[in-house]
Amino acid sequence: MSYSSGRQFVQLPGPTNVPERILRATSRPTIDHRGPEFGRLGLEILEGIKEVFQTSGTVVIYPSSGSGAWEGALTNTLSPGDKILMFEIGQFAALWIQVAVKLGLDVDVVPGDWRHGVDPQVVEARLAEDRSHKIKAVGVVHNETSSGVTSSVRAVRAAIDRAGHPALLLVDAISSLASIDYRHEEWGVDVTVAGSQKGLMLPPGLGFNAISKKALAASKSARLPRSYWDWEAMLTSNAKGFFPYTPATNLLYGLRESLQMLREEGLQNVFQRHKRHGEATRRAVRAWGLENVALDPKEYSHSVTAIYMPSGHSADEFRKVVLERFNMPLGTGLGKLQDKAFRIGHMGDFNDLMLAGTLGGVEMGLDIAGVPHRKGGIAAALDFLTESLKEVATPARA
Ligand SMILES: Cc1ncc(COP(=O)(O)O)c(C=O)c1O
């Protein structure tokens, strides 16, 4: 295999580019996870991570991928046979549903077209019908990474409240946390599920559950079997900054650095940056004459854009061309979108020139792969980026 110059230009919607600062932080020697230095590290990050979830409540950190944190959310709050209302809005929602089924929950699935998010009116109607309160939880994916659709968690919360229903609200914020405004506490979320490899800019390997008081109370009587995911053991050890088993120490060094970087930039600025890059990407897609998978502009994701290939063309062949020619992996179409769509991640440690390079690789790839499109996507994106910078710059000079 010949040497490919330059760093691989990872443009996946997770894992995202891991910045040098975080890579350096993770490369420190591993310390005794039962010693005093670790205890200080644990307390610092367990406190610091709350800001990112926008909560004053408890957050637990698992040495796991996001799927583990899905299991943590379900097993700690529910009992065998409990009913849970879930929305199949895309591949990750479908996978979480499968986890719930395998765990022995009675899953009430609302199907979707994978182009729209969760409809709050359906949430309200389903809960209002459930007069005997058999539904114990509602499970929602905030940002569906397979389709680039973001649902309104605030609206889902309001729907639950309008129905006057006591169900817990469980939310997957794996590809929105630290990229798209996400407010665990204000939106009354009971358990938020997240992972390290997206907006937090870390390598894969940490899973998170942010937990409300109501969810913690539910965990006292929840009877689904759990051991590794058990909040009780975790929280007992966490009180002093420790973990009930060997933690991912080096990833926690990275997390400390990530929290520092997010603080330096400011969470609101991080959200704004992602929003701008999402808009610029969509302008490129429109200029190419390609079709966004997400249909409702209110639901466009700021962290990932999924794009349909024109019919008769293979998204996988196109991604292969881009990888081979430019060393840039793009997100594959998942599930129903396999080979029909590709995804551009604009998430994590990302800036205007990285987006310009990404769109450059896509536009050149479309050409080389013989995919019908119009020129001018990059130019449309750059025009938007430039104009929006002028808007920011003008008042400051005045
Ligand atoms: C929205 C969403 N949920 C869940 C997952 C699964 O997480 P993991 O692959 O870390 O287990 C992903 C992964 O990309 C995701 O994007």
Side-chain angles (χ1 to χ4, degrees):
M1 234 173 81
S2 70
Y3 171 68
S4 196
S5 61
R7 194 168 158 178
Q8 187 174 62
F9 210 64
V10 178
Q11 244 24 86
L12 300 171
T16 58
N17 287 287
V18 181
E20 295 295 332
R21 269 176 70 171
I22 290 181
L23 286 175
R24 276 200 297 276
T26 58
S27 71
R28 290 186 50 217
T30 307
I31 51 171
D32 172 14
H33 61 278
R34 308 210 189 272
E37 187 183 344
F38 187 92
R40 287 191 293 274
L41 170 73
L43 288 175
E44 184 185 336
I45 54 176
L46 287 164
E47 189 54 35
I49 190 68
K50 295 178 182 180
E51 272 174 54
V52 183
F53 285 88
Q54 302 196 59
T55 182
S56 57
T58 310
V59 180
V60 299
I61 308 175
Y62 296 114
S64 80
S65 84
S67 302
W70 269 345
E71 196 159 331
L74 298 172
T75 55
N76 279 285
T77 54
L78 298 169
S79 297
D82 273 358
K83 207 183 237 317
I84 177 170
L85 179 66
M86 298 179 94
F87 294 78
E88 199 240 302
I89 57 163
Q91 175 69 0
F92 290 104
L95 290 174
W96 199 14
I97 288 168
Q98 278 176 28
V99 174
V101 170
K102 283 186 194 160
L103 289 172
L105 294 169
D106 177 5
V107 191
D108 195 351
V109 179
V110 178
D113 64 359
W114 290 34
R115 304 192 75 177
H116 292 91
V118 175
D119 182 346
Q121 286 181 345
V122 176
V123 176
E124 185 177 351
R126 289 295 182 102
L127 293 182
E129 274 167 19
D130 178 38
R131 293 212 180 78
S132 54
H133 296 169
K134 286 216 161 53
I135 297 173
K136 300 299 176 204
V138 176
V140 167
V141 174
H142 181 218
N143 185 63
E144 178 48 70
T145 325
S146 63
S147 59
V149 169
T150 308
S151 295
S152 171
V153 174
R154 189 197 291 276
V156 170
R157 171 79 263 166
I160 297 173
D161 292 346
R162 276 197 305 276
H165 199 288
L168 294 166
L169 175 57
L170 315 181
V171 178
D172 171 336
I174 288 183
S175 59
S176 53
L177 191 83
S179 309
I180 302 172
D181 196 1
Y182 184 81
R183 307 177 189 195
H184 174 87
E185 193 160 294
E186 188 186 318
W187 295 345
V189 178
D190 291 300
V191 188
T192 299
V193 174
S196 54
Q197 74 275 27
K198 313 258 182 187
L200 289 174
M201 309 172 283
L202 293 163
L206 296 179
F208 302 85
N209 278 175
I211 307 165
S212 73
K213 287 202 179 79
K214 187 172 158 189
L216 202 54
S219 73
K220 307 291 177 208
S221 55
R223 285 178 290 100
L224 273 179
R226 57 187 184 270
S227 167
Y228 190 77
W229 310 113
D230 192 18
W231 290 341
E232 195 174 356
M234 189 62 112
L235 292 174
T236 305
S237 298
N238 281 178
K240 292 201 160 69
F242 297 109
F243 285 70
Y245 35 64
T246 311
T249 306
N250 290 54
L251 289 177
L252 297 178
Y253 291 148
L255 179 56
R256 176 164 58 187
E257 192 64 26
S258 155
L259 295 175
Q260 180 58 30
M261 290 168 72
L262 291 169
R263 233 174 270 130
E264 285 170 22
E265 185 173 357
L267 259 193
Q268 294 308 319
N269 295 329
V270 170
F271 301 148
Q272 194 51 35
R273 171 164 60 78
H274 282 79
K275 198 171 173 182
R276 223 172 127 253
H277 289 153
E279 177 60 26
T281 305
R282 289 188 299 274
R283 289 196 185 209
V285 173
R286 271 199 295 278
W288 288 323
L290 299 181
E291 191 183 348
N292 207 339
V293 173
L295 279 177
D296 182 348
K298 288 196 296 301
E299 296 181 330
Y300 286 157
S301 169
H302 304 324
S303 61
V304 52
T305 301
I307 302 152
Y308 276 116
M309 269 283 120
S311 67
H313 292 266
S314 158
D316 289 344
E317 275 308 308
F318 162 69
R319 286 190 317 105
K320 190 160 169 267
V321 165
V322 174
L323 180 63
E324 282 172 2
R325 300 299 172 105
F326 307 115
N327 198 16
M328 178 169 80
L330 291 165
T332 180
L334 292 166
K336 284 202 281 207
L337 298 172
Q338 173 77 52
D339 205 28
K340 294 193 170 68
F342 68 97
R343 295 171 300 147
I344 301 177
H346 29 85
M347 181 193 307
D349 188 44
F350 201 60
N351 64 28
D352 289 8
L353 295 188
M354 290 162 90
L355 182 62
T358 306
L359 299 176
V362 172
E363 190 160 313
M364 288 189 283
L366 289 169
D367 217 345
I368 297 168
V371 178
H373 68 288
R374 293 192 299 265
K375 296 269 183 213
I378 310 168
L382 296 191
D383 282 350
F384 168 74
L385 291 176
T386 312
E387 287 309 312
S388 63
L389 278 183
K390 284 187 200 157
E391 278 164 30
V392 175
T394 316
R397 276 201 303 269

